[in-house]
Amino acid sequence: MSPTMIGLVMFAAMLGLMALRIPIAAAMFIPGAVGYWAMTNELALLNLLKGSAVARLTVYDLSVIPLFLLMGQFATQGGLSRALFKAAAAFIGHIRGGLGMAAIMAAAGFGAVCGSSVATTATIGQVAYPEMKSHGYSGRLSTGVLATGGSLGILIPPSVPLVVYAILTEQNIAKLFAAAFVPGLIAVVGYLVVIALYCRVRPDLATASEPTPWAQRWKALVAVWPIATIFIVVFGGIYAGIFTPTEGAAVGAIGTFIAGLASRELGLEGIKRSFLGTAETSAMVFMIFLGADMMNSALALTQLPANLADWVSHLDVPPLAIVATLLAFYVVLCCVMDELSMLLLTIPVVFPAIMGLELFGLDPQEKAIWFGILVLMIVQIGLITPPVGLNVYVVNSVCKDVPMSETYRGVLPFLASDFVRVALLLFFPAITLGAVRWLFG
């Protein structure tokens, strides 16, 4: 059997194991190990196994992942999401669809100290859904807003998938975070516009309420100062060169811990849940890393990544069409795989092909950052796209009285906004790279 055929069989076996609900890490590791053994021998496989885990898990940059996860756990357990939603609702909750807009803004704010879409969705959902339900919002609009808003958890830095991309492609994490800011803000504005149009076309889906007195508005606004302070200190410190992204994550974790204690929401049980949740998620991420490393080591022997890069570079089609095709492929892949597994499996294969293309005259680093943000946008879309749409399942677990089919209908207008945003970023790289060029020269 040729190396190329072995590579294709490995992919097929991996997808088959996933279909059988085998854990993602094992579904990548087992075919990779068998394929590596088939192309070498038992001794070579054992030598790889002996050193690969140590080589991967002793990478210093990986420590940023559990630190940002811990920061998000403290923020979740410390009740910071409630303060964000109350502040946003106090200012815009009285307009038609205002509570939905407040949920989007709260999700964006919470994403700035969390980095996890699942945590953002679940936390904001528990706070915002009872309010929207009590004010007569339809289940379709409410759950659609919450599922979509939760996806902002990975768009607004810090973002765990963006950290993974930076490690895989050896890019500067701080520059990728800077590049994600403007696209993230565009996403927030797009979602607010969708809600406004949605409620204008279907006014029966949401109601207006009485305005909140200005005294209560200012009181609600003051309550969010810990989150604003943490965000400014962490990212201001990173971009000012005071500390590295890893050190910034540690500072952020300490800041959210103190803020949780000060709010009297974070007790002993909350602290235990924070550390346990961080450990469980970190273990899952690192196991996926090991599984993907095994699969990618075997794929390297098949020469599939190199052959793909060579084939793509010789295609007689516009380079931008190739990028668009890859993004469309990612949309399909996001429907059947979780975001981290998809990144770990595909980036080592497609990244060399992208770097071999001539795109807008971008230098290699700018090209890598621009493509990373495009992939992040697609990953975010996958979180609310049927038939998987992880955020839809999370919302369904919180809002049990709303059928999942209604939630899928509710996210469709937001998906339209997402695809418009991706098209803008695809054709105008300056939107992504402007902040990077301004901050880093």
Side-chain angles (χ1 to χ4, degrees), residues 66-89:
L67 286 172
F68 273 133
L69 289 173
L70 183 61
M71 179 177 169
Q73 287 286 342
F74 283 147
T76 301
Q77 300 295 333
L80 300 184
S81 60
R82 187 176 296 105
L84 281 167
F85 178 73
K86 286 184 176 180

Side-chain angles (χ1 to χ4, degrees), residues 5-62:
M5 184 56 66
I6 291 175
L8 295 175
V9 170
M10 286 163 49
F11 265 112
M14 180 194 70
L15 294 175
L17 291 173
M18 288 180 181
L20 294 173
R21 298 186 179 276
I22 301 298
I24 297 292
M28 289 191 289
F29 184 90
I30 294 171
V34 173
Y36 194 93
W37 168 76
M39 288 180 287
T40 55
N41 53 55
E42 295 90 341
L43 184 60
L45 176 60
L46 290 174
N47 283 332
L48 177 66
L49 294 176
K50 179 179 67 176
S52 62
V54 173
R56 169 57 69 188
L57 298 181
T58 53
V59 175
Y60 172 74
D61 288 343
L62 273 180

Side-chain angles (χ1 to χ4, degrees), residues 157-182:
S159 167
V160 172
L162 210 54
V163 171
V164 171
Y165 177 87
I167 293 170
L168 292 175
T169 59
E170 299 180 350
Q171 297 301 312
N172 186 296
I173 295 176
K175 290 184 178 182
L176 282 165
F177 281 175
F181 271 115
V182 174

Side-chain angles (χ1 to χ4, degrees), residues 117-396:
S117 64
V118 172
T120 302
T121 304
T123 306
I124 299 297
Q126 291 171 355
V127 174
Y129 180 66
E131 286 290 322
M132 287 192 281
K133 184 178 179 181
S134 67
H135 283 80
Y137 281 59
S138 72
R140 177 186 300 185
L141 177 61
S142 300
T143 55
V145 165
L146 294 174
T148 305
S151 66
L152 293 170
I154 63 170
L155 288 193
I156 307 296
S159 167
V160 172
L162 210 54
V163 171
V164 171
Y165 177 87
I167 293 170
L168 292 175
T169 59
E170 299 180 350
Q171 297 301 312
N172 186 296
I173 295 176
K175 290 184 178 182
L176 282 165
F177 281 175
F181 271 115
V182 174
L185 292 176
I186 292 174
V188 173
V189 173
Y191 293 157
L192 296 180
V193 170
V194 168
I195 294 172
L197 294 176
Y198 208 164
C199 293
R200 179 174 291 272
V201 175
R202 292 286 307 274
D204 58 301
L205 296 180
T207 61
S209 57
E210 291 296 322
T212 303
W214 277 100
Q216 294 183 24
R217 293 184 185 185
W218 294 123
K219 183 178 179 180
L221 189 62
V222 169
V224 302
W225 71 265
I227 299 174
T229 302
I230 292 167
F231 182 82
I232 292 170
V233 169
V234 171
F235 290 99
I238 291 174
Y239 296 129
I242 299 174
F243 36 69
T244 66
T246 303
E247 293 166 347
V251 170
I254 294 172
T256 51
F257 176 72
I258 295 173
L261 292 178
S263 69
R264 299 183 179 179
E265 294 275 353
L266 184 63
L268 182 59
E269 285 301 314
I271 294 172
K272 290 179 180 178
R273 285 195 295 270
S274 296
F275 281 109
L276 180 60
T278 300
E280 290 175 342
T281 306
S282 299
M284 178 195 71
V285 171
F286 293 155
M287 288 300 294
I288 293 175
F289 260 111
L290 297 179
D293 283 346
M294 187 72 258
M295 175 64 82
N296 288 322
S297 296
L299 287 176
L301 291 181
T302 69
Q303 294 294 305
L304 274 178
N307 292 339
L308 176 64
D310 182 65
W311 176 70
V312 167
S313 65
H314 288 88
L315 285 175
D316 189 21
V317 295
L320 207 58
I322 296 173
V323 177
T325 302
L326 281 174
L327 294 179
F329 167 71
Y330 271 123
V331 171
V332 175
L333 206 57
C334 278
C335 294
V336 295
M337 292 182 70
D338 71 274
E339 66 269 22
L340 292 182
S341 302
M342 185 194 71
L343 289 175
L344 288 165
L345 183 64
T346 62
I347 291 300
V349 178
V350 304
F351 185 72
I354 293 296
M355 297 305 290
L357 299 175
E358 177 60 36
L359 293 159
F360 302 103
L362 300 176
D363 63 42
Q365 186 183 70
E366 288 185 332
K367 197 186 307 178
I369 292 173
W370 172 68
F371 182 67
I373 300 304
L374 284 173
V375 171
L376 181 68
M377 297 296 118
I378 298 299
V379 166
Q380 178 258 339
I381 290 172
L383 290 169
I384 56 175
T385 303
V388 178
L390 181 59
N391 277 16
V392 176
Y393 285 86
V394 175
V395 167
N396 185 253

